[in-house]
Amino acid sequence: MKKSTIALALAMSAVAATASAAESTTTPSEAQLVEDGRKADQQVTVTARYFRPKLTAKVKSDDIQKYYSSSKVDLVDTLNIDDKSNSPELLFSYRNMKLDYLHFSTDGNANLTNEPVKVNDYEFNGNAKTDLDFDYLKFDVTNPLYHTDNLNVDWSYGIAAMHWKAEVKGDATVRKSGQVAYNEHRSESVDFTAPIPMIGFKASAALGSNLSAHASIAGLPLGSYGHIFDSELGLSYYPVSNVDIQAGYRIIDLKIDHDDDYGQFKLDGPWAGVRVWF
């Protein structure tokens, strides 16, 4: 009887120790709870954001260039493109994995009579309308680097896929052997797609029981070939346990410089959103 009692006590102690260890490894710190705005068993999030960025877009290539000039084409100034637009963004996460999708779209109208622009093999030298679309998809996996009760520092790895398309419609001249062959109303487009691996870091800090701040940067330096960086600063306010209201500032900067080809695409501006935990 005594041996049975001792064995039972030891078994209960082992179960309690195992449960305690499991709890210590799965229960996040106070700072993580505040930053996440959730209970430990809520691992799926959906975030809807409103992004209002300013556009910078410059390019020099055989596909699009100024006639009589080898300089870069500032798409915003040359094609009179609206450099600000509303950009919806959706983010989904499961545990430490996150998928981020952003769409930016704008347009412009310009008279290119005094400053013709060559798109593919056509010289646009009259009234022209431009539609510009940018899609950005990023997937990353986050891992803990340094955690305390009030501060979390994580690192991440993943991949980003970018696609931008500029379509120009208007009066165009077709040249053959350097001479004007005929004029017509044309629609020409230039596409660019780039999948790029990314490494990042994120720090978040609790500012109170229902407020936190975060800063993050992810990207890849390409040396003389350019770079890609995605960085942001933000605040999160938690009115209830599974919802937080967010606001901040974000910069997405892509630059490619290789041989005679050059491209820069940058979005930077404020954002606001709501995140829900399930």
Side-chain angles (χ1 to χ4, degrees), residues 111-117 123-127 171-173 183:
N111 189 309
L112 304 176
T113 302
N114 297 322
E115 195 175 24
V117 173
E123 175 189 340
F124 288 84
N125 54 8
N127 293 320
D171 304 322
T173 294
N183 295 294

Side-chain angles (χ1 to χ4, degrees), residues 34-35 49 66 71 89 96 100 111 123 142 208 239 246 268:
V34 172
E35 197 281 326
R49 283 185 177 184
K66 290 183 180 180
S71 62
E89 181 181 7
N96 65 333
D100 181 0
N111 189 309
E123 175 189 340
T142 301
Q246 306 174 326
D268 64 296

Side-chain angles (χ1 to χ4, degrees), residues 186-197:
R186 290 289 306 179
S187 175
E188 290 292 313
S189 63
V190 178
D191 290 75
F192 174 80
T193 302
I196 303 174

Side-chain angles (χ1 to χ4, degrees), residues 61-253:
S61 70
D62 293 335
D63 295 329
I64 181 168
Q65 57 185 262
K66 290 183 180 180
Y67 254 103
Y68 321 117
S69 174
S70 60
S71 62
K72 303 179 183 69
V73 180
D74 188 322
L75 298 182
V76 174
D77 291 342
T78 302
L79 300 176
N80 195 30
I81 293 176
D82 185 1
D83 64 352
K84 290 186 178 180
S85 180
N86 303 325
S87 299
E89 181 181 7
L90 287 175
L91 299 94
F92 303 91
S93 73
Y94 174 68
R95 293 187 176 178
N96 65 333
M97 297 176 289
K98 183 172 69 176
L99 187 66
D100 181 0
Y101 173 70
L102 169 71
H103 177 73
F104 176 88
S105 179
T106 187
D107 57 26
N109 292 278
N111 189 309
L112 304 176
T113 302
N114 297 322
E115 195 175 24
V117 173
K118 175 178 172 287
V119 182
N120 298 327
D121 295 323
Y122 297 89
E123 175 189 340
F124 288 84
N125 54 8
N127 293 320
K129 183 182 187 303
T130 303
D131 293 307
L132 183 65
D133 290 282
F134 174 71
D135 292 288
Y136 179 66
L137 184 66
K138 183 175 71 171
F139 172 79
D140 61 49
V141 179
T142 301
N143 301 279
L145 188 62
Y146 175 77
H147 281 193
T148 68
D149 287 344
N150 297 308
L151 176 67
N152 294 329
V153 179
D154 303 307
W155 72 278
S156 64
Y157 62 90
I159 188 169
M162 301 184 180
H163 174 256
W164 73 270
K165 177 181 178 181
E167 183 178 20
V168 183
K169 305 174 184 177
D171 304 322
T173 294
V174 180
R175 293 177 178 269
K176 292 184 178 180
S177 301
Q179 302 296 320
V180 175
Y182 56 89
N183 295 294
E184 66 177 8
H185 191 82
R186 290 289 306 179
S187 175
E188 290 292 313
S189 63
V190 178
D191 290 75
F192 174 80
T193 302
I196 303 174
M198 302 180 76
I199 299 292
F201 297 91
K202 176 182 178 181
S204 58
L207 303 180
S209 61
N210 60 353
L211 184 67
S212 71
H214 74 268
S216 66
I217 183 169
L220 187 69
L222 303 174
S224 60
Y225 294 101
H227 61 251
I228 174 175
F229 290 112
D230 183 353
S231 59
E232 72 172 50
L233 296 171
L235 290 173
S236 296
Y237 171 72
Y238 306 90
V240 293
S241 63
N242 65 329
V243 174
D244 62 301
I245 301 171
Q246 306 174 326
Y249 195 91
R250 186 177 186 182
I251 300 173
I252 300 174
D253 188 2

